[in-house]
Amino acid sequence: MAVLEIRKYPDPALRRKSRPVPEITPEIRELIDDMIETMYAAPGVGLAAPQVGIPLRLAVIDVSTKDEKSPLLVLVNPEIISTEGELNEEEGCLSVKDFQSVVTRFARVRVRAIDRDGKPYEAEGEGLLARAFQHEIDHLNGVLFIDRISPLKRNLFKRRVRKNLKEDKAAI
Ligand code: NI
């Protein structure tokens, strides 16, 4: 297993629409295991394949906290099949450095996916898990949480990125 490099905004890999995983091969299992290790090392509660530069519909999620255990979920070709309610909460992303913002998401979602063994399953999530399902599936479509915030907040973020890029250049 290996910790992979996590691509950061504005890396174009984050903007591609990912292809479905055609089949669970040993290579796909290895990628899944590397993604799990990368997510835990970050640490983060979810990671999608485009974030490690692989345009495949594949994500891993574990929203466990110190006090509350949650299962590790492997989502191959995930789809949202039903949604309910609405929730506004602060959100961040391993690919978006030092920036969080309130994002409106469905409060409860049901997803259908394939697991690491190639078995189809359905899972339901609310709160943080529902948010993680929506956030990771967005990644598979080239969508980042900054696309779902107010234009004012987004401009603030973009100005900051431009400033940081300039500073990086000046340091060379
Ligand atoms: Ni993310």
Side-chain angles (χ1 to χ4, degrees):
M1 295 223 279
V3 172
L4 308 169
E5 187 206 339
I6 298 178
R7 305 295 184 94
K8 302 278 170 24
Y9 178 92
D11 192 315
L14 297 168
R15 291 310 199 176
R16 277 184 293 195
K17 189 167 160 55
S18 293
R19 303 185 304 272
V21 175
E23 185 187 3
I24 310 281
T25 58
E27 290 74 24
I28 291 291
R29 283 209 184 91
E30 195 181 326
L31 172 61
I32 290 169
D33 293 343
D34 288 347
M35 283 174 57
I36 291 168
E37 194 173 344
T38 305
M39 172 179 71
Y40 287 140
V45 298
L47 186 73
Q51 290 182 276
V52 293
I54 312 281
L56 285 176
R57 303 189 79 79
L58 166 61
V60 294
I61 291 177
D62 185 346
V63 297
S64 295
T65 61
K66 202 155 46 72
D67 307 313
E68 208 176 329
K69 281 277 146 226
S70 187
L72 165 66
L73 293 169
V74 173
L75 299 115
V76 177
N77 302 339
E79 269 177 277
I80 292 176
I81 52 176
S82 70
T83 63
E84 214 184 287
E86 202 181 281
L87 198 64
N88 295 294
E89 285 211 36
E90 190 118 302
E91 203 167 306
C93 176
L94 293 174
S95 294
V96 178
K97 268 200 298 186
D98 306 324
F99 186 76
Q100 283 92 35
S101 187
V102 171
V103 183
T104 304
R105 299 281 192 186
F106 296 114
R108 185 191 288 266
V109 302
R110 190 166 183 81
V111 299
R112 182 185 296 145
I114 293 165
D115 70 13
R116 192 181 175 283
D117 299 317
K119 223 174 70 198
Y121 70 98
E122 287 185 12
E124 196 168 280
E126 55 177 37
L128 181 58
L129 183 55
R131 184 167 291 278
F133 283 148
Q134 293 165 83
H135 181 112
E136 300 314 328
I137 291 172
D138 267 357
H139 272 302
L140 307 183
N141 295 321
V143 174
L144 300 172
F145 82 93
I146 50 167
D147 304 330
R148 298 192 179 277
I149 63 179
S150 74
L152 195 75
K153 287 259 179 63
R154 189 160 49 242
N155 283 334
L156 192 80
F157 166 73
K158 286 191 172 162
R159 267 209 304 276
R160 196 193 293 176
V161 171
R162 271 198 297 272
K163 187 167 166 279
N164 288 346
L165 288 177
K166 244 184 248 157
E167 278 168 8
D168 285 351
K169 248 182 228 148
I172 290 170

